[in-house]
Amino acid sequence: MASGVLFDIDFFEPHIVVYLLEDDGHFWRLTTPFAHTVYLWGSRRELPAICRLAETSRVVALSGWVTRLEFYSNRPRRVMAARVVRQAGLKELYRRLTRSCLSAEMYDSTLDPAQAWLMARGLHPLARVVWQASRGRLIHIQPLDTPWDPPFAVPPLKTLHLRLEQPTSTPMVQNALRIEMDGRRDSLPLRRPEEVIRGLNDWIQRADPDVIWSREGDGAIFPWLVEQAAGLGLPLTLDREPQALHRRVERTGKSFMVYGQVVYKAPSYPLMGRWHLDEQNSFFLRESGLEGLLEMARISAIPVQRMARSSAGTALTNMEIRNALLAGFLIPSRKTQLETPKTALDLLRVDKGGLTYFPPAGMHEQVAELDYAQMYPTIMLIHNISPEVINCPCCPGLQPVPATGYHTCTRRAGLIPQTIRPVLKQRASYKQLKRKAATPAERRAYEQRYSALKWMLVTTFGYQGYKNARFGVIEAHEAVTAWGRESLLRAKEYAEDAGFSLLHALTDSLYLVKNPPFSDESLTGLTERVNRATGLDLALEGVFDWICFPTSKITPNLSAATRFFGRFASGEVKVRGIFLRRKDIPHVIRTAQKEMLEAMARCKTIAELTARHNEVLEVFRHHRNRLQSGGVTREELFFKLRVSRHLADYKSNSPASVCLRLLARRGIQPQPGQSVRYVIVDRRASDPLHRYLPEPLASERPCYEVSAYLELLQAAYDELAGELPCHWPDMAKRTHQLRLF
DNA sequence: GAATTATTTTA
DNA sequence: TAAAATAA
């Protein structure tokens, strides 16, 4: 018996390949035969035909009748088990079955074989395991931990870093590949492809890294390597496999719509036996680092490289599938449309999001902010909200959901609550561990895992309303927001009972004032009362010395519901929605606004803000001078935009369409969902193509329109100071001015 | 293989 | 009015 960590797993039909890191550092590649099982079902009339079709397809081999539970009805169902003998043919078989037999269903068929193997053995990526092997064959393997044993340690990993020396917009022949590992580095010019491929093979062979950590590996480096290697007839030995593998070149990724926005996903180049992680092509790596990614891989049982390129929704679906399988349920291959028909009136009543109030515009002193912690996930947990139990036939009228006419089940525990319960618990335990961490590195690790779980929980709610979610129905989504609105209103009511008045409220947070000023005890009393009534966790976020809700630009008498900034009693500032939070605004402007706000945050009262306003003006003048004298770098001047469509589909001369046209001339074609950075060059130029300049071209004409940036600086200032009595109007010169940088 | 709605502001 | 951005 050997012990260590389950590093990775792959399916290489008809074998599972398991990669293990032994405690003494030894690396193992072991195989074990595996065939995944799917379950066929259909109406009594069609079932014989379904089985016959399946049998003759030679994609599966029928292995006998078994009984499993149907997920939505919770009733036993007789199904025909079938061993998959040709995984690649499964999708086509499913299509043929459903085409010729309307009632046909092939349960468990969307499970990835490697993941099915993991689930069947109670294993997960990075599990601590003991195993037995003989001549490269895995005989036995057993987990020593579960994903819910939080203080897991990441084993030491040998990491090789890959990136391009120049931005990817540079033509590849002028670029070079930078390789770095353990302080040694190399730079291979791409104009000599043969040397690059031999050089990289050499590095990998000598260093035998566990991880290849890249920047733009998926989008640029690997497609280039694979193409060149194929062209030269050279092997590319990136994998830890006995033979070099052949890969197809995939250049263009996919653009798809998510919540009305186009998202771009680069193609992916996973490796066998080592992880290729592209920090540019991974949501979790970007948002919560390697520790966060590994946490997600563990709890969702998705192999690390796939997890790196997946969304929180995919992780959630996998966790749900795992729990459903453990409970003996059949996994439907498609989303079941359970939504009951609604009248227009029902829609009007039910289909709402979170509650929004409009705060009185302007500056306010002594404001308390109260937030519900993890409001939506907690609601799903305590009210048992899940697609298969919402509006169940067994308990109508017992547990009504406020203002919806819906009800929840009192008999069957829903899959969603079961799935998020351990996540909420784990998140809480990382919060503790983070506080008690002995070293900064340890604290950082727990922070990253905590952050990954936060993303996971945010998604559980949104996913309920997602049209393609496997386990989601819109009623569940609506029930959650209904409880959310109810809980916020309850808090408002209790706050007003206790003599507070509501300044602002948004989805899960309340902003309260009290006259005479409140005490900490009165707030604690309030949160305790609310929490007893709602079962949720309302807690004090902090007390603002002052907070400002800027006036809306569209309705000048009102404030904007989603923008504010303020100073907590601790001296810390909190900011939402204003320029410095926006990623599309140039750095000069964001920095200037940040510094102006810092000057304001040194003041504890509105009177002081008024008296010391000169300090804010000084910051303003400093940045105005920088802009006027050309003392800014190009980097600080870039706007950022997300391409939403193909060049031909743009109708106006918007910055996006101008940038795409200019880039297209150089053969650069950003896909919808990718982002482009540009500088404003001259908004009044008669030729629209001279108005804006996208990133790689900006060096050719190092010029910017000073007045455009000054106007924006002025707006940034106005956003902060507009509500103060000492407003200095129009401090930016509006003369049209162009300048080199 | 892909989370949602509400809101703001600009072209 | 549509599009693109943020808050939660």
Side-chain angles (χ1 to χ4, degrees), chain A residues 269-422:
Chain A
Y269 287 83
L271 303 176
M272 286 185 78
R274 55 175 60 99
W275 300 336
H276 169 219
L277 304 176
D278 179 348
E279 61 177 41
Q280 300 291 101
N281 193 27
S282 169
F283 174 81
F284 277 104
L285 269 188
R286 196 166 50 236
E287 292 297 331
S288 46
L290 183 63
E291 291 278 347
L293 169 63
L294 299 184
E295 173 75 23
M296 290 307 299
R298 282 173 60 95
I299 66 172
S300 66
I302 296 176
V304 173
Q305 298 181 84
R306 200 148 86 76
M307 187 64 244
R309 294 159 176 88
S310 304
S311 70
T314 307
L316 172 70
T317 304
N318 254 276
M319 291 172 68
E320 289 165 348
I321 288 176
R322 189 184 174 107
N323 286 334
L325 278 177
L326 281 175
F329 288 111
L330 294 159
I331 309 301
S333 55
R334 58 193 151 181
K335 178 185 158 68
T336 322
Q337 288 299 332
L338 282 183
E339 190 169 357
T340 41
K342 273 195 285 271
T343 65
L345 192 69
D346 286 336
L347 279 170
L348 201 64
R349 194 184 60 219
V350 168
D351 203 12
K352 290 185 210 153
L355 209 57
T356 311
Y357 277 77
F358 290 83
M363 287 274 182
H364 306 271
E365 281 180 329
Q366 293 301 307
V367 176
E369 178 182 344
L370 303 177
D371 288 349
Y372 279 109
Q374 296 298 315
M375 185 201 235
Y376 286 163
T378 312
I379 285 174
M380 290 192 268
L381 185 66
I382 65 178
H383 294 295
N384 194 27
I385 293 172
S386 199
E388 78 282 20
V389 292
I390 187 91
N391 297 333
C392 62
C394 54
C395 6
L398 285 182
Q399 292 284 334
V401 177
T404 52
Y406 298 168
H407 70 270
T408 45
C409 185
T410 57
R411 295 177 166 202
R412 179 180 174 195
L415 181 65
I416 303 286
Q418 282 177 61
T419 306
I420 57 183
R421 178 176 284 115

Side-chain angles (χ1 to χ4, degrees), chain A residues 319-625:
Chain A
M319 291 172 68
E320 289 165 348
I321 288 176
R322 189 184 174 107
N323 286 334
L325 278 177
L326 281 175
F329 288 111
L330 294 159
I331 309 301
S333 55
R334 58 193 151 181
K335 178 185 158 68
T336 322
Q337 288 299 332
L338 282 183
E339 190 169 357
T340 41
K342 273 195 285 271
T343 65
L345 192 69
D346 286 336
L347 279 170
L348 201 64
R349 194 184 60 219
V350 168
D351 203 12
K352 290 185 210 153
L355 209 57
T356 311
Y357 277 77
F358 290 83
M363 287 274 182
H364 306 271
E365 281 180 329
Q366 293 301 307
V367 176
E369 178 182 344
L370 303 177
D371 288 349
Y372 279 109
Q374 296 298 315
M375 185 201 235
Y376 286 163
T378 312
I379 285 174
M380 290 192 268
L381 185 66
I382 65 178
H383 294 295
N384 194 27
I385 293 172
S386 199
E388 78 282 20
V389 292
I390 187 91
N391 297 333
C392 62
C394 54
C395 6
L398 285 182
Q399 292 284 334
V401 177
T404 52
Y406 298 168
H407 70 270
T408 45
C409 185
T410 57
R411 295 177 166 202
R412 179 180 174 195
L415 181 65
I416 303 286
Q418 282 177 61
T419 306
I420 57 183
R421 178 176 284 115
V423 183
L424 279 164
K425 196 171 152 230
Q426 184 116 315
R427 183 176 175 272
S429 87
Y430 280 138
K431 199 172 184 176
Q432 291 295 318
L433 285 165
K434 187 167 84 166
R435 283 205 196 109
K436 290 188 292 192
T439 63
E442 204 179 304
R443 190 174 57 241
R444 183 90 198 104
Y446 290 135
E447 261 166 19
Q448 292 191 332
R449 295 181 198 179
Y450 177 85
S451 140
L453 295 181
K454 185 194 75 186
W455 282 113
M456 159 101 257
L457 287 168
V458 167
T459 308
T460 49
F461 159 66
Y463 222 64
Q464 283 302 308
Y466 175 45
K467 59 185 184 305
N468 296 331
R470 189 81 68 88
F471 301 100
V473 293
I474 194 68
E475 285 85 350
H477 189 268
E478 291 161 354
V480 175
T481 53
W483 273 116
R485 292 191 297 272
E486 167 77 11
S487 308
L488 199 66
L489 286 172
R490 183 65 67 89
K492 170 181 184 278
E493 211 174 276
Y494 284 12
E496 284 166 351
D497 280 358
F500 294 91
S501 58
L502 185 85
L503 191 64
H504 178 43
L506 188 56
T507 310
D508 61 357
S509 51
L510 297 134
Y511 298 78
L512 304 174
V513 286
K514 193 177 184 186
N515 207 359
F518 42 71
S519 61
D520 281 1
E521 297 79 66
S522 63
L523 286 168
T524 321
L526 172 63
T527 53
E528 277 169 7
R529 189 167 170 225
V530 172
N531 292 343
R532 266 198 306 276
T534 59
L536 300 176
D537 180 17
L538 183 71
L540 178 66
E541 167 83 356
V543 175
F544 287 98
D545 285 329
W546 54 263
I547 186 169
C548 177
F549 298 101
T551 309
S552 165
K553 286 178 189 152
I554 203 159
T555 44
N557 302 322
L558 281 175
S559 67
T562 54
R563 289 158 57 211
F564 71 79
F565 57 94
R567 177 200 199 267
F568 280 123
S570 63
E572 200 190 332
V573 291
K574 182 164 178 171
V575 164
R576 291 294 178 265
I578 63 174
F579 280 0
L580 71 94
R581 289 275 291 198
R582 300 178 60 116
K583 294 184 194 88
D584 54 337
I585 302 289
H587 271 280
V588 236
I589 308 299
R590 291 167 68 190
T591 312
Q593 198 184 46
K594 185 160 163 276
E595 289 172 8
M596 288 191 275
L597 184 59
E598 279 162 5
M600 291 172 78
R602 291 195 285 269
C603 307
K604 284 184 73 89
T605 60
I606 297 175
E608 207 182 332
L609 277 169
T610 317
R612 296 172 64 183
H613 190 60
N614 228 340
E615 294 171 33
V616 179
L617 286 172
E618 243 163 70
V619 178
F620 177 90
R621 289 192 196 105
H622 167 68
H623 289 284
R624 185 185 54 187
N625 290 346

